Amino acid sequence: VWDFYFELFGQRQSRFGEWLLGCDRIALDCYQASFMGLGIAKSIPAPPPFSYMRTGFSPATFRRGIPLRRLGRQLNPFPLIQLPYHRLVNPWALGAILHEVSHNTQNDLGLHEIIPQQIRERLLSAGFPAPVASVWRRWNRETFADMSGLLLGGPAIVSSLMDVIGRSPRTVVTYSRTGPHPTPYLRAFISFELLRRMGFVDEAKLAQRAWMRCYPNPRSGSIPRALLDTAEQAIPIVVDTICFQPYATLGNKSLSQVTMFGKKEQTMTEEAAKRLAAGNDPGVIPERFLIGAARYALDRRLARPGAITENFFKELARR
């Protein structure tokens, strides 16, 4: 136990301390938005998420209340957000924080059992084959995290996701029979569908066109034919189930009503991007929106990447 926490807390005494504190503040903002938007009062979870840095490629999370081997099988007391160095130094790629936090809020909001059940039942009711419904049920946690992250952070989160899952054509169209993640090729289309439902129709079309240009032949891989043949009809049902159906545990609200990102929030994010690029105070914008602001500033070359990174973490540390 000592070794595990010594490593985590020791990072806060290093030159990465302010970066990790900034990530904590983004994660806390996601929690606050999720619980303040509910239609009922729920007991507030504590402590808040804690970020730390690891080597490797992929971010990860350890949820609150699960036994960890490195803690001698004792229960983990707070959500841990593991971030690779290459994400921290490129803050426009930190949509990973919103994704990993959402794994935790799915449980803390009481959606971890009802969501997979509803996905399977709705697909079966719509006439989909049982094996297809079971696959979408298996993918529910990663799909929820993608959808929740997009609702928390806006269109920039889709760009961040495409950076991660856009690999070699062979990898993108390879299907895993046991993996929790949707096959990369289909995973992108789930976000495009939600982006449309959020009102960002042009952005969804542009992203989808680029994706299909990169991967024009999904049948060249190992994705089961039944999944590919039904994906166009299944994806809207899955997105609707996760994001647009009311749940009692949310106070009879839908997830999109609890945390919604629309045109107004995007306008705020773009204004913050211009201020951030210029080294000015971006204002009272929520911490989670700063990821989209950094992405907007990078894509439009409003400042050097290094300057955007410096100003991003400086603003978070100032708070």
Side-chain angles (χ1 to χ4, degrees):
V1 173
W2 168 259
D3 286 345
F4 182 69
Y5 285 119
F6 184 79
E7 177 186 350
L8 265 60
F9 290 113
Q11 291 183 6
R12 298 304 173 106
Q13 309 305 314
S14 72
R15 66 189 183 95
F16 303 111
E18 285 194 350
W19 288 14
L20 294 170
L21 175 62
C23 293
D24 287 352
R25 288 176 171 163
I26 293 172
L28 177 60
D29 180 41
C30 292
Y31 255 93
Q32 290 172 335
S34 297
F35 276 79
M36 290 301 294
L38 296 174
I40 55 172
K42 295 181 77 72
S43 180
I44 303 169
F50 185 88
S51 305
Y52 68 104
M53 183 175 63
R54 289 294 299 272
T55 56
F57 180 77
S58 299
T61 187
F62 297 99
R63 299 195 311 275
R64 186 196 321 274
I66 63 171
L68 293 184
R69 179 180 54 80
R70 294 188 65 184
L71 293 177
R73 305 303 296 175
Q74 297 184 75
L75 298 183
N76 179 40
F78 47 78
L80 294 172
I81 309 296
Q82 175 183 305
L83 298 167
Y85 170 78
H86 69 85
R87 294 293 184 95
L88 290 168
V89 79
N90 297 287
W92 40 87
L94 284 178
I97 298 176
L98 279 56
H99 176 99
E100 301 302 340
V101 167
S102 294
H103 279 306
N104 292 278
T105 55
Q106 185 176 6
N107 279 65
D108 285 341
L109 292 174
L111 295 170
H112 56 294
E113 293 182 353
I114 187 66
I115 288 287
Q117 176 186 329
Q118 286 294 102
I119 287 174
R120 187 174 186 277
E121 289 182 1
R122 289 194 67 191
L123 288 173
L124 289 175
S125 297
F128 288 82
V132 170
S134 294
V135 170
W136 285 104
R137 183 187 188 280
R138 168 161 54 90
W139 288 343
N140 88 91
R141 291 200 66 88
E142 295 298 334
T143 303
F144 179 91
D146 283 351
M147 300 295 91
S148 175
L150 179 46
L151 289 169
L152 286 164
I157 305 306
V158 177
S159 300
S160 181
L161 175 68
M162 291 171 69
D163 286 346
V164 175
I165 64 175
R167 305 187 190 179
S168 69
R170 181 177 180 180
T171 300
V172 169
V173 296
T174 296
Y175 171 77
S176 170
R177 294 184 179 278
T178 58
H181 295 84
T183 301
Y185 179 79
L186 296 176
R187 187 175 176 183
F189 285 93
I190 303 169
S191 288
F192 302 155
E193 173 65 20
L194 178 55
L195 204 54
R196 279 191 288 269
R197 292 286 300 266
M198 291 167 63
F200 297 97
V201 177
D202 292 339
E203 292 84 346
K205 287 181 180 178
L206 184 64
Q208 182 169 324
R209 192 180 307 124
W211 188 253
M212 294 179 70
R213 189 180 303 129
C214 291
Y215 309 105
N217 185 18
R219 299 187 185 277
S220 64
S222 57
I223 305 174
R225 182 172 180 177
L227 270 178
L228 275 178
D229 289 346
T230 58
E232 189 174 351
Q233 294 75 39
I235 287 173
I237 295 176
V238 172
V239 170
D240 186 76
T241 302
I242 293 174
C243 302
F244 297 96
Q245 294 300 309
Y247 290 98
T249 187
L250 302 180
N252 291 319
K253 283 187 170 184
S254 67
L255 188 66
S256 64
Q257 291 173 319
V258 172
T259 55
M260 184 58 184
F261 192 107
K263 295 289 187 179
K264 168 175 62 70
E265 288 76 15
Q266 181 62 19
T267 300
M268 294 168 60
T269 299
E270 292 174 9
E271 181 180 357
K274 296 168 185 174
R275 295 185 186 183
L276 198 69
N280 297 327
D281 182 352
V284 296
I285 190 169
E287 286 84 350
R288 65 188 188 278
F289 290 4
L290 289 175
I291 298 171
R295 183 88 200 194
Y296 186 90
L298 176 77
D299 288 347
R300 285 152 184 80
R301 301 183 181 182
L302 301 182
R304 292 182 298 104
I308 296 171
T309 298
E310 180 181 352
N311 295 340
F312 174 89
F313 285 113
K314 183 186 297 184
E315 168 59 20
L316 287 169
R318 185 183 65 81
R319 299 184 177 196

